Amino acid sequence: MNGRFAGGQWRRVLLYLGGLMGPLGTFVMLPMIPELRSTFSVTTGQIGWALWCYLLPFAGLLLVSGTIADRWGRARILRPAVVLYAVATAACAAAPSYLWFLAARVGQGSMNAFITPLLLATLTETAPADRVGRIVGRYAACQALGQLAAPVVGGYGADLNWRLAYVATAVIGAAIALLLPSVSHLGESGSHQASSSPPRLRSLIRRPTLLLAVTALLSALGPVGARVLVGLSGRDVIGLTGSQVGWLLFGGGLAGMLAAPSWGIMLDRLGGRQAATIAIAVCSGLVALLPAAQSTWSLAILWFVTGAATQSVVVSFQSLASVAAPDNRAGALSFTLSLRFGGHALGAIIWLPVFAISPTTAYLASAAVGGLAIVAVLASGLDTRSA
């Protein structure tokens, strides 16, 4: 292995690690919901707005962030976005009021919209068609690592001081900003500087791409978004502490991290459409079983298995998005991710009030939405093997 190749491989590892930031920002608050309710004197339903304020600008800007980056040059945008993300996270820690906290969450979500699709597009751009699943699987494993860290950091923050959880998250973001290589250092087409004929957003307004984005939205609104309900089950139904819920959620993230690379290999064998159908069906079925978990161990075991299925769904539709529009790869990824996180935002608003009335209804309705996601991905006609 020569030094140039080794350097390129190391830079790719750092790009993979950038996948930590989105899950950290999104999910660190889940074990801390009772503490946030107490600090800011708000209800469980109102706490849903903290997820909404992160996910709505994230989803909205993702509609255009990838296309903007491919027009202006990814290298000009990526590192400043990571730095500002860390600043917004520090502002969450310093929030003197719930309004301040919500505004800082808007900043987090806005900046992450210019991080996640750029990293993934850069990583997949030079991958051959028969290895796209592997690349996306590795990146999804790093996203799952962020999902591992988030509830543990948030759980201990809940038991000590919730603000410390955001301080820790800001430090992690700052460290990644310092270590992250410029995409122009990859020495390949992944650098993707501003083009003389830049891609346009309207290139994404096609039936297959739109249906894939709808698949991502319905998956997140449905079974993929069940993590929020599981965290609340641990605190309000079973009566666990914040750190205990953190470790419970850690199990699902660990399963997702372990499953993502293997599912990426399986996806390359099956094709993206078939893999997505299987993953969504299995994930939906497992979420429908979650209300039966009435003890710590039963919930932990069932969530561990569900976490693996959840991340397999994510690998599947991100792989399909990475080949949906070769002339605007980052745009297709950001567009699909936009609707995914729009689904998460809607789920926080819809399912938390339902959960307060009937946890079982919230879980079963969430699982049922997965059936609609399967219809959408089959109707899209997209497949990684035909890219």
Side-chain angles (χ1 to χ4, degrees):
M1 180 184 294
N2 60 45
R4 181 177 179 182
F5 178 79
Q9 292 294 94
W10 173 240
R11 292 183 182 111
R12 281 174 176 77
V13 169
L14 293 174
L15 292 175
Y16 283 126
L17 289 177
L20 293 169
M21 290 180 292
L24 271 174
T26 306
F27 301 120
V28 73
M29 66 170 284
L30 296 187
M32 306 187 299
I33 288 176
E35 287 69 29
L36 292 170
R37 284 188 311 219
S38 176
T39 298
F40 296 121
S41 300
V42 294
T43 66
T44 297
Q46 289 171 323
I47 283 294
W49 287 100
L51 286 167
W52 176 269
C53 284
Y54 181 98
L55 294 168
L56 184 63
F58 183 29
L61 285 170
L62 275 170
L63 286 170
V64 297
S65 61
T67 301
I68 290 172
D70 273 355
R71 288 174 66 88
W72 292 356
R74 297 176 199 159
R76 300 177 183 176
I77 293 175
L78 186 54
R79 192 186 302 274
V82 177
V83 171
L84 290 173
Y85 177 90
V87 170
T89 304
C92 288
S97 68
Y98 195 48
L99 184 61
W100 176 301
F101 183 75
L102 294 180
R105 293 284 287 172
V106 169
Q108 280 186 302
S110 298
M111 289 303 100
N112 195 34
F114 290 93
I115 298 172
T116 298
L118 273 63
L119 292 173
L120 191 52
T122 301
L123 286 165
T124 60
E125 192 158 54
T126 58
D130 63 351
R131 296 187 66 85
V132 167
R134 290 169 171 81
I135 296 292
V136 177
R138 291 170 192 160
Y139 184 80
C142 287
Q143 290 178 307
L145 181 60
Q147 293 169 13
L148 280 175
V152 174
V153 172
Y156 280 103
D159 292 347
L160 299 172
N161 185 324
W162 66 264
R163 297 180 190 275
L164 294 178
Y166 281 100
V167 171
T169 306
V171 169
I172 292 170
I176 290 174
L178 288 174
L179 294 172
L180 194 69
S182 168
V183 293
S184 62
H185 290 166
L186 287 174
E188 299 170 356
S189 60
S191 62
H192 203 110
Q193 301 299 318
S195 170
S196 57
S197 56
R200 298 182 181 275
L201 184 61
R202 64 171 175 262
S203 67
L204 306 177
I205 311 303
R206 300 182 299 116
R207 181 175 177 272
T209 310
L210 292 174
L211 284 171
L212 179 61
V214 169
T215 301
L217 184 150
L218 293 171
S219 297
L221 175 61
V224 173
R227 183 181 292 103
V228 177
L229 302 179
V230 172
L232 202 53
S233 286
R235 293 304 302 269
D236 288 358
V237 176
I238 298 177
L240 302 177
T241 66
S243 57
Q244 287 171 334
V245 168
W247 284 109
L248 185 149
L249 293 175
F250 178 95
L254 176 63
M257 185 180 72
L258 296 174
S262 298
W263 191 252
I265 294 171
M266 183 63 67
L267 185 147
D268 287 336
R269 294 174 181 171
L270 297 175
R273 185 168 61 221
Q274 185 175 349
T277 301
I278 294 170
I280 297 170
V282 171
C283 188
S284 299
L286 290 168
V287 169
L289 294 176
L290 282 168
Q294 295 295 311
S295 69
T296 302
W297 281 109
S298 61
L299 184 59
I301 292 169
L302 189 52
W303 176 240
F304 182 87
V305 180
T306 306
T310 296
Q311 203 65 12
S312 298
V313 175
V314 173
V315 171
S316 300
F317 66 66
Q318 287 186 166
S319 296
L320 287 168
S322 71
V323 300
D327 57 335
N328 189 3
R329 190 180 301 268
L333 280 160
S334 68
F335 185 71
T336 302
L337 289 171
S338 169
L339 270 75
R340 173 195 171 183
F341 288 101
H344 282 301
L346 286 173
I349 297 300
I350 294 171
W351 304 132
L352 286 180
V354 174
F355 184 96
I357 299 169
S358 170
T360 298
T361 300
Y363 279 118
L364 293 180
S366 175
V369 174
L372 299 177
I374 291 174
V375 173
V377 75
L378 290 174
S380 74
L382 288 170
D383 203 347
T384 52
R385 292 186 299 186
S386 61

